Amino acid sequence: MTTVKRKEPHDFLTATPKLPNRRWAKFMLWSRRLNLLGRLEVLLSVLAVVSAIATYITMSQQSAPTEVTSGQTLRVLLAINLALLLALGVAIGRWFVRIWSSRKGMKAGSRLQAKVTGFFIAIAIVPPIIMTVFSALFLEFGIQQWFSEKIRFALNNSLEVAETYEIEHRVNIEKDMLKIAFAYNQLNFTQQRDQITLQRVAETALSTRLLSELVIIEQPPGEEGSILAGANDGLAFTTPRIATNLLTRASTGETVISANAESNKVAGLIKLSGFFRPTYLYVSRDLSPQVLGYLSATRAAVADYDNLEGQRSDIQLQFNVVFIIIALLILLAAIWIGLWFSGRLVNPLSNLVDAADRVGQGDLKARVPTVSSGDEVGTLSRAFNRMTDQLAKHQDALIEANAEMDERRRFLEEVLEGVSAGVMGLKQDRSVFLPNRSALNLLNLAPDDLMGKDLTKVVPDFSNIIEQSEQSAEGEAKGEVQIDVEGEIRTLMVRVFAERQKDNAIGGYVVTFDDLTEQLADQRTAAWADVARRIAHEIKNPLTPIQLAAERLKRKYSSEIKTDAKIFGQCTDTIIRQVGDLRRMVDEFSSFSRMPAPIYRETDIADVTRQSVFLQEVAAPDIRFSSELDGDFEKIKCDGRLIGQALTNVLKNAAEAVEARVSKDHKAGGDVLEPGFVSTTLTQIDDKTIIKIEDNGLGLPAAQKARLMEPYVTTRSKGTGLGLAIVRRIMEEHGGSVRIADRTPIGARVVLTFSHQVLEKRAEQAEEIDKTNKQPAAAE
């Protein structure tokens, strides 16, 4: 049976929003690719300018201010202007936010863009403000002209003239109507009932009074009226229509005068008093239609003028609002154009600054987007790209050349590192730029102590030879130099080569030097060994007969000599004792000249050192001996007897130096500066075993410091000068080294150094020699 997993509701809830998000992401990518926002901003700027022009044209086509402020089209345009104003404000705000974020982030070109933008805004803001101010002032002055006293006076005068014309016709027709009414009232009863008389009077009055129409109307109350007589200036007589209110007013005895603009007539109605029944006289006279039109237009103009004068502040406010909106619209459009233009101007420069910064940091792949324009900015961008291409090519060539030079330099350094001599390269100012390892070791300096430093200041002893090379025509000089390295005197053979340029100026130096200390000591040691061997051979032979002769003289003649027997015994004893001293000295010469070959065995160097210290503690109980020999020390292959002899010689010399210093302090009559002590320290570092012996004795003599380990060099009266020479021979046989230096503040320091690797090789070589020597003996 197959089970179907039901999908939880929350799965649908979490899955459905992905589709709109993807669509929105696609839309954003599409808009960025097409620069949709930029295109919309351009469209908004164009629409803003078009809308401002349309608003201006619409306002200029209206005839009256009220039409300008109340037109539906203008309202629509103002709404569009406001919408465009808000949209442009948002677009400009987006530009300002972008500029502010660039300035805050110290983006390349942000400060220039801010300055250019401020400059364009300052230029763009002036014309709309000037236009708005002048428009408001022009409107103010225009409205003042519209509602000036002259205009008011002219309108009032025009209205008065038109109304005077109408009033004059009213007065004239009233006068004529009263005279005609008087004529009818003077008729007797018979005449009043005679229609012919009435008609004749009407026609006479019509012609003499220049009336358009004259009618005698009998109008009893509640009955229909009848015309008793009538005349007009037309071809046919028409019954006039008289308003009821006029008849009502006339029935009260009032003289009614009215003007009818539609019929262009002024008419009068009066009740005749001499008639039995209510009878009315109606007269009318035609008016000029043009004059009446002027009168109507003048009244309308005055009414409109009064209306506008009442709305003066509202009109002025509305016009100013329209001007401000249009000015803001033009201003924002100009600001956006300025921002767009500054962006077009600054963006290539910002790209150049950014690319130049990247090139300055070493990124020669930086390129500026190509500008299609043919102006200086585009030319500069293309020139920058060409420059970076050339720089990249040159850099590749330089990298290849540097790689080749590095390879050569490494080869040279490897060669120099393998050279035992010290080699240093100096610049023109004598500063060191290339020391090899041997040079650092021989001078006991760190690389930082030499690199970039003046060699004559670091090692002043080299100054004379460097100056000699400068003065030499070949640019070469050499000589021996003795330097003090941590209290140890070393003899160096120094050679200096001064490199001269074409103008004979010195371009640099090459300094090489070898340590001749060991070589000179070996030469002296070999010479003294040969001398010792010869002396031992020449002196040892006669010593035995001399000693035997002296002993025989003492035995045979000591009893026979009666006079000065004591002197005779002292002389023979002196001869025997001095012969013994000479024999011991000859034995030392012999042992020095024929040092036995070391026998290499696994030796506990700590135990050998401990035994040597113990022997000296017993021999010199007044001196404090201290040793740091605790620890797990590795055994080394060496000749323990010879090493013990070397340590004994060193410790004995140290003890004698301490005793001499203490005795000297006592003889001087002062306190002992420091109790006598001899310290011994054993350390093992990597493949080296180091034994350091320090004392606070007299120290090393300055005059003979460099020759203390040579044979027969001693500062003591009874010393043979072979102790340290033997130590040196023993250390050389073991492939080690011995260094003697001063101790601060007083005393001396001796350091014995053994290399485990060298001892292993020496032991292997000794075994091979032993095997080689045993093979011929076994064959015999």
Side-chain angles (χ1 to χ4, degrees), residues 661-775:
R661 197 263 303 170
V662 174
S663 176
K664 182 180 179 182
D665 291 344
H666 283 301
K667 289 180 181 179
D671 296 334
V672 178
L673 295 177
E674 187 178 356
F677 75 90
V678 177
S679 66
T680 305
T681 305
L682 174 63
T683 57
Q684 287 184 336
I685 302 174
D686 296 333
D687 68 335
K688 292 184 181 299
T689 295
I690 301 173
I691 303 174
K692 182 170 65 175
I693 301 171
E694 293 183 333
D695 64 74
N696 60 349
L698 290 175
L700 304 178
Q704 296 179 342
K705 187 185 297 185
R707 302 182 59 194
L708 285 177
M709 287 189 293
E710 294 181 7
Y712 312 112
V713 176
T714 181
T715 59
R716 294 186 296 275
S717 58
K718 294 183 180 181
T720 60
L722 294 175
L724 291 179
I726 292 172
V727 172
R728 185 171 180 274
R729 285 287 300 275
I730 293 173
M731 295 302 296
E732 288 178 350
E733 291 294 333
H734 285 79
S737 64
V738 55
R739 299 293 182 189
I740 302 176
D742 291 317
R743 174 186 171 273
T744 305
I746 57 175
R749 178 189 302 112
V750 179
V751 180
L752 307 178
T753 305
F754 301 92
S755 173
H756 300 177
Q757 187 176 2
V758 173
L759 289 175
E760 292 287 343
K761 291 183 179 179
R762 293 290 178 95
E764 292 176 0
Q765 291 175 359
E767 289 179 2
E768 292 179 359
I769 293 173
D770 189 34
K771 290 178 182 180
T772 303
N773 292 333
K774 287 181 179 180
Q775 288 177 359

Side-chain angles (χ1 to χ4, degrees), residues 323-363:
F323 287 152
I324 291 173
I325 291 175
I326 294 176
L328 287 176
L329 199 62
I330 296 175
L331 174 62
L332 291 182
I335 290 175
W336 183 89
I337 292 173
L339 290 171
W340 176 81
F341 183 75
S342 66
R344 289 291 298 266
L345 178 63
V346 173
N347 283 340
L349 299 178
S350 301
N351 294 332
L352 278 172
V353 172
D354 184 51
D357 189 23
R358 290 170 58 191
V359 170
Q361 295 176 359
D363 183 13

Side-chain angles (χ1 to χ4, degrees), residues 509-546:
Y509 306 86
V510 177
V511 180
T512 62
F513 50 93
D514 296 290
D515 188 1
L516 301 181
T517 306
E518 301 291 338
Q519 182 180 352
L520 294 176
D522 291 341
Q523 291 176 357
R524 293 191 185 100
T525 300
W528 277 112
D530 184 63
V531 171
R533 186 170 55 253
R534 292 175 182 271
I535 291 175
H537 178 72
E538 296 296 335
I539 294 177
K540 191 175 183 179
N541 290 334
L543 285 180
T544 301
I546 292 173

Side-chain angles (χ1 to χ4, degrees), residues 506-693:
I506 296 177
Y509 306 86
V510 177
V511 180
T512 62
F513 50 93
D514 296 290
D515 188 1
L516 301 181
T517 306
E518 301 291 338
Q519 182 180 352
L520 294 176
D522 291 341
Q523 291 176 357
R524 293 191 185 100
T525 300
W528 277 112
D530 184 63
V531 171
R533 186 170 55 253
R534 292 175 182 271
I535 291 175
H537 178 72
E538 296 296 335
I539 294 177
K540 191 175 183 179
N541 290 334
L543 285 180
T544 301
I546 292 173
Q547 184 178 4
L548 292 174
E551 290 175 352
R552 185 176 180 183
L553 286 172
K554 183 177 180 181
R555 286 194 307 268
K556 186 175 182 179
Y557 297 105
S558 59
S559 58
E560 295 179 1
I561 297 175
K562 302 299 182 182
T563 60
D564 295 330
K566 184 178 180 180
I567 294 174
F568 177 78
Q570 289 177 351
C571 290
T572 54
D573 289 340
T574 300
I575 294 171
I576 294 170
R577 186 173 59 253
Q578 292 297 326
V579 169
D581 291 341
L582 286 173
R583 188 180 296 280
R584 285 192 299 272
M585 185 180 294
V586 170
D587 290 339
E588 288 183 2
F589 286 167
S590 237
S591 63
F592 174 72
S593 61
R594 289 178 285 184
M595 183 70 65
I599 301 173
Y600 294 94
R601 294 186 179 92
E602 290 287 342
T603 305
D604 187 352
I605 189 64
D607 184 61
V608 172
T609 306
R610 192 177 295 109
Q611 291 178 9
S612 299
V613 173
F614 175 74
L615 290 176
Q616 293 306 313
E617 285 179 339
V618 174
D622 296 333
I623 300 175
R624 180 172 59 86
F625 285 86
S626 64
S627 58
E628 297 180 7
L629 305 175
D630 297 332
D632 186 13
F633 294 101
E634 179 184 354
K635 291 183 178 182
I636 62 174
K637 285 188 176 183
C638 64
D639 191 324
R641 184 183 63 82
L642 293 178
I643 299 299
Q645 181 182 356
L647 290 174
T648 300
N649 289 349
V650 174
L651 291 169
K652 180 182 177 184
N653 287 345
E656 291 175 353
V658 171
E659 291 175 351
R661 197 263 303 170
V662 174
S663 176
K664 182 180 179 182
D665 291 344
H666 283 301
K667 289 180 181 179
D671 296 334
V672 178
L673 295 177
E674 187 178 356
F677 75 90
V678 177
S679 66
T680 305
T681 305
L682 174 63
T683 57
Q684 287 184 336
I685 302 174
D686 296 333
D687 68 335
K688 292 184 181 299
T689 295
I690 301 173
I691 303 174
K692 182 170 65 175
I693 301 171

Side-chain angles (χ1 to χ4, degrees), residues 57-98:
I57 294 174
T58 303
M59 291 178 63
S60 63
Q61 288 180 349
Q62 302 297 326
S63 59
T66 54
E67 295 179 358
V68 173
T69 57
S70 61
Q72 185 68 24
T73 304
L74 185 61
R75 292 178 182 176
V76 173
L77 287 175
L78 288 178
I80 295 174
N81 289 339
L82 288 174
L84 292 174
L85 193 65
L86 293 175
L88 276 176
V90 172
I92 292 173
R94 175 173 166 267
W95 275 86
F96 281 128
V97 169
R98 188 188 307 168

Side-chain angles (χ1 to χ4, degrees), residues 139-154:
L139 177 63
E140 179 68 22
F141 294 150
I143 290 177
Q144 289 180 0
Q145 292 295 325
W146 292 347
F147 299 103
S148 64
E149 293 298 328
K150 292 182 180 180
I151 300 297
R152 167 63 68 180
F153 182 75

